[in-house]
Amino acid sequence: MATNELNWNSRQLTRGWQKGVTAFFYGLGLTEAEFDRPQVGIGVPLLEGNLCNVHAYDLAQRIAAGCREAGMLGFPFGTAAVSDNLTQGLEGGGASLVSRNLIATSAECVVTAHCYDTMIGLHHCDKNGPGFAMALARMNYPGLLLSGGTIYPGCYQGRDISILDVYDAQAAANVGALPQSEADAIRRLACPGPGCCGIAASFNTWGLAIEAIGLMPPQSSSTPAVDEAKHAECARAGLWIRDLLRTGLRTRDILSRRAFANAAAMIAAVGGSTNGVLHLLALAREAEVDFSLRDMQALFRRTPVVCSFAPRGEKTMVDLHRLGGASVLVKALIQAGILDGGIVTATTRSLAENVADAAEPPVAAGGAAGGEALIAPADAPFKPFADMQICFGNLAPEGMVFKVSSASTTRFRGPAACFDSGRAVSEAVEQGRIRPGQTIVLRYLGPVAAGMPEVVLAASALSVPELKGRVALISDTRVSGISHGLIGVHCSPEAAVGGPIALVEDGDEISFDILAGTIEWHVDAETVGRRRAAWRPPVIRRQRGYLADFAATVAQAHAGCVSQAWMQSR
């Protein structure tokens, strides 16, 4: 295909009827011949006040240089970016999920408005990559994602530490189980430089899932932020994009049901974050692919956990990098029949072809390895079913996502203790008001009520020794991928719109069986009817415009919290 055919979209701007607009391109220093080069929009979640994003613009400039080397024009553009870590427990916590949808909309707006031929989105903090993937699916343009890269672990007293250790140490210090001085020392050393959370939290869950789905080139998810290989990858991006344009392969050609099954299986196999479920549901709706919680329920039941990433184990993404990178893991999962190697990817090759030259993974049996191995063989996994499971029932008619990575039980029953804020849960723990055996119900924090913030501090508070694995947390909001324990989140419908979780009272018995896929609220129909008749929707006075806009259009969690206005307009 000739070069001037690769600029299938930008030529309407550079060679279109409005010749006068090209004056702006001359002002950028372009030559007449460069008007026929394909134009690549490079989505940059610029936020230099966050370690995850501090190097984003530098990587974008390297990508742009690589595009020019490949005979194209790369134009970085900025989008919203919100740090999940820095906003935890504060007003900004409600901005996190909102930022994902803002990124999707702003990227769609810039790329389509400026007639770019393709887009590369940079995945840095948790919601960046999902937002760019949603934009690509919505536009159905050729494109791909690149990971900004993982952080290296910190070191405390000779052992690797991560942000997970920070939250757990502070929770222990709050109840006197650890000296505050030790928690402070861990906090100062856990994050040694640029890069995103190194464990199987939301950032790395999405990176690995997007490699498995085919929208991210091989190794991108596991290469550290400050490694020279990350710079080489950015320089190589232009060639990948040029191949996409030459073949005419578009995003929805990649995002098949088989590809979504791959992504869900990857999330399950690595013990990933519940946020990955929410983003996959959103991406499926943007791509108009029929893939739901019911599909994931079946996948999670049959997919074993074969990785010991923290928080279920102690390993980080840097450990995977040292083993040979994400390609080693992908190859192992293809060989085990967990991933489908035949799907097409953004490299224009199949997933199996992408990893054909990867090393064989050094594996050890989950039990025999004593938690020390990173990858276990599929026939001797760390767990025969996923840490994450999907449950439905009278408390969550549209579904709830459970994660029980650090717990051995698959069933639980206990009396409810109801809270309306994460801070209230933390304070109750510190005051000794939460007892083993209780079901902590944290509500009125869903997408309509509050933007669905993460409540990692509440979850961490429940991980203190006397409560860890002995209480359950159920909520209509989200938790971070660093959270561990008995956790059920994304309860749909949420409390603010009248979901059953709004009617629960202290002392009500709640039970769940994650392998049976059930969540039950043990209150008789007459009592439920009486409470329903007395319930009134809360009056929510939102302090910020972005929350009001989000609440006015957002779908419930089982639909990925996408824009209902956009879905209904198609």
Side-chain angles (χ1 to χ4, degrees), residues 216-267:
M216 185 177 282
Q219 302 286 69
S220 183
S221 67
S222 59
T223 303
V226 296
D227 197 287
E228 281 302 315
K230 180 59 65 180
H231 297 163
E233 172 190 310
C234 291
R236 175 73 175 78
L239 296 176
W240 284 315
I241 284 292
R242 190 174 179 84
D243 287 343
L244 275 175
L245 289 170
R246 280 176 168 162
T247 60
L249 191 68
R250 291 182 175 244
T251 297
R252 293 192 188 183
D253 298 325
I254 295 169
L255 296 179
S256 63
R257 270 185 61 86
R258 291 165 60 201
F260 276 98
N262 262 11
M266 174 63 86
I267 290 172

Side-chain angles (χ1 to χ4, degrees), residues 49-383:
N50 183 32
L51 271 181
C52 304
N53 302 68
V54 66
H55 57 303
Y57 192 67
D58 174 64
L59 296 188
Q61 290 297 312
R62 294 175 186 273
I63 293 169
C67 288
R68 184 169 287 277
E69 285 292 316
M72 299 180 296
L73 301 173
F75 295 125
F77 65 90
T79 69
V82 172
S83 166
D84 286 71
N85 281 315
L86 294 179
T87 59
Q88 288 287 350
L90 302 173
E91 175 194 329
S96 169
L97 186 60
V98 178
S99 75
R100 182 200 71 177
N101 289 15
L102 286 174
I103 289 169
T105 299
S106 62
E108 174 200 23
C109 180
V110 172
V111 172
T112 58
H114 292 87
C115 303
Y116 292 146
D117 301 294
T118 179
M119 186 188 82
I120 298 172
L122 278 168
H123 177 42
H124 284 263
C125 203
D126 299 357
K127 306 308 175 291
N128 304 165
F132 287 122
M134 289 164 65
L136 280 171
R138 188 183 297 176
M139 298 183 297
N140 196 26
Y141 279 22
L144 54 83
L145 303 187
L146 291 181
S147 173
T150 185
I151 193 172
Y152 273 93
C155 183
Y156 176 69
Q157 295 184 346
R159 68 179 179 92
D160 285 350
I161 57 173
S162 70
I163 190 66
L164 172 63
D165 296 282
V166 173
Y167 289 128
D168 284 355
Q170 188 57 55
N174 288 345
V175 296
L178 186 77
Q180 184 60 54
S181 59
E182 187 168 347
D184 290 343
I186 291 171
R187 175 166 48 87
R188 294 187 185 102
L189 296 170
C191 300
C196 310
C197 296
I199 63 176
S202 303
F203 168 77
N204 284 319
T205 294
W206 190 249
L208 288 167
I210 287 298
E211 277 204 40
I213 213 170
L215 277 184
M216 185 177 282
Q219 302 286 69
S220 183
S221 67
S222 59
T223 303
V226 296
D227 197 287
E228 281 302 315
K230 180 59 65 180
H231 297 163
E233 172 190 310
C234 291
R236 175 73 175 78
L239 296 176
W240 284 315
I241 284 292
R242 190 174 179 84
D243 287 343
L244 275 175
L245 289 170
R246 280 176 168 162
T247 60
L249 191 68
R250 291 182 175 244
T251 297
R252 293 192 188 183
D253 298 325
I254 295 169
L255 296 179
S256 63
R257 270 185 61 86
R258 291 165 60 201
F260 276 98
N262 262 11
M266 174 63 86
I267 290 172
V270 301
S273 165
T274 53
N275 281 306
V277 172
L278 192 72
H279 301 326
L280 276 186
L281 292 170
L283 184 59
R285 277 154 181 76
E286 295 287 2
E288 300 186 85
V289 173
D290 182 14
F291 191 78
S292 69
L293 281 177
R294 294 284 183 185
D295 296 300
M296 282 191 254
Q297 184 183 56
L299 276 161
F300 291 166
R301 283 174 175 167
R302 67 174 184 258
T303 304
V305 180
V306 299
C307 291
S308 61
F309 288 116
R312 74 164 351 270
E314 298 181 352
K315 301 300 184 180
T316 69
M317 193 63 89
V318 169
D319 292 309
L320 179 59
H321 173 67
R322 289 168 178 159
L323 284 182
S327 291
V328 171
L329 175 60
V330 170
K331 185 174 185 177
L333 296 180
I334 292 172
Q335 291 173 344
I338 293 172
L339 295 184
D340 179 350
I343 66 163
V344 68
T345 73
T347 66
T348 72
R349 302 190 302 168
S350 72
L351 187 65
E353 289 170 333
N354 283 346
V355 301
D357 295 332
E360 295 295 322
V363 296
E372 295 179 5
L374 174 56
I375 304 173
D379 60 356
F382 292 102
K383 196 174 187 177

